[in-house]
Amino acid sequence: MNAVAEKVVFGSAAAVLDSVGRQLGETEWVQITQERINQFADATGDHQWIHVDPEQAKSGPFGACVAHGYLTLSLANLFLPQLVVYENLKMGVNYGCEKVRFPSPVLVDSWVRGSGEVVGANPSGEDGVQVTVRITVQVKGQDKPGCVVETISRLFFIREN
């Protein structure tokens, strides 16, 4: 497996505002096992056969079970803190997502990782910033990613004196 880049550290709203266009590197690889897919199916109630029935999925459009698109999307929450650390933070909240796409299926037992880029940042109140980070869920051995999502976070830093 490839070496993982060091996390990018931001210690203030100003540092985040100055980071638009910055690449955040890549995370460690994670395997998408049938167990993970089944657990996601249980959590969401989505037990469609293309996800949870290996025998039927063999003759389906992908030749094997595939991860739910929303499972692949949820990995942004796993990958983001592997890419970036916010120091001097009072509070941070997920604000939403933009432009979610699933360009390629993620087959069972695939290995995936996240890469990130800061694509937008705007002031938000006093000592705050709204930052948009594009997370690309790469699938090992595939040209197209499994998911691309622009995550939006609101971050409030301890006031600098």
Side-chain angles (χ1 to χ4, degrees):
M1 299 287 162
N2 295 347
V4 177
E6 272 191 48
K7 293 179 189 180
V8 175
V9 178
F10 295 113
S12 67
V16 176
L17 290 166
D18 289 342
S19 70
V20 175
R22 183 168 182 174
Q23 298 293 320
L24 300 175
E26 297 170 328
T27 70
E28 295 186 22
W29 291 99
V30 174
Q31 189 173 30
I32 303 302
T33 63
Q34 188 64 55
E35 179 182 11
R36 184 182 292 251
I37 292 170
N38 292 346
Q39 288 173 341
F40 191 85
D42 289 343
T44 61
D46 181 353
H47 292 93
Q48 186 178 168
W49 62 268
I50 63 171
H51 305 304
V52 299
D53 186 338
E55 286 307 310
Q56 188 173 358
K58 282 181 187 175
S59 60
F62 306 109
C65 287
V66 295
H68 303 74
Y70 285 135
L71 167 56
T72 308
L73 170 62
S74 74
L75 295 173
N77 195 56
L78 174 67
F79 294 147
L80 194 55
Q82 291 181 36
L83 296 169
V84 65
V85 173
Y86 299 107
E87 294 180 344
N88 306 316
L89 197 63
K90 285 191 287 190
M91 182 183 73
V93 294
N94 293 326
Y95 190 70
C97 297
E98 296 281 356
K99 300 180 184 176
V100 178
R101 299 290 183 267
F102 305 106
S104 182
V106 177
L107 297 174
V108 66
D109 295 326
S110 294
W111 288 87
V112 298
R113 70 177 174 192
S115 61
E117 177 185 1
V118 179
V119 295
N122 297 299
S124 180
E126 236 178 87
D127 305 316
V129 62
Q130 180 169 298
V131 61
T132 303
V133 176
R134 180 182 303 123
I135 301 290
T136 301
V137 179
Q138 302 168 350
V139 183
K140 192 169 194 166
Q142 290 184 193
D143 292 334
K144 292 183 180 180
C147 180
V148 180
V149 57
E150 293 182 2
T151 65
I152 305 168
S153 300
R154 286 211 173 154
L155 310 169
F156 297 91
F157 290 85
I158 297 169
R159 180 176 291 229
E160 298 173 357
N161 292 330

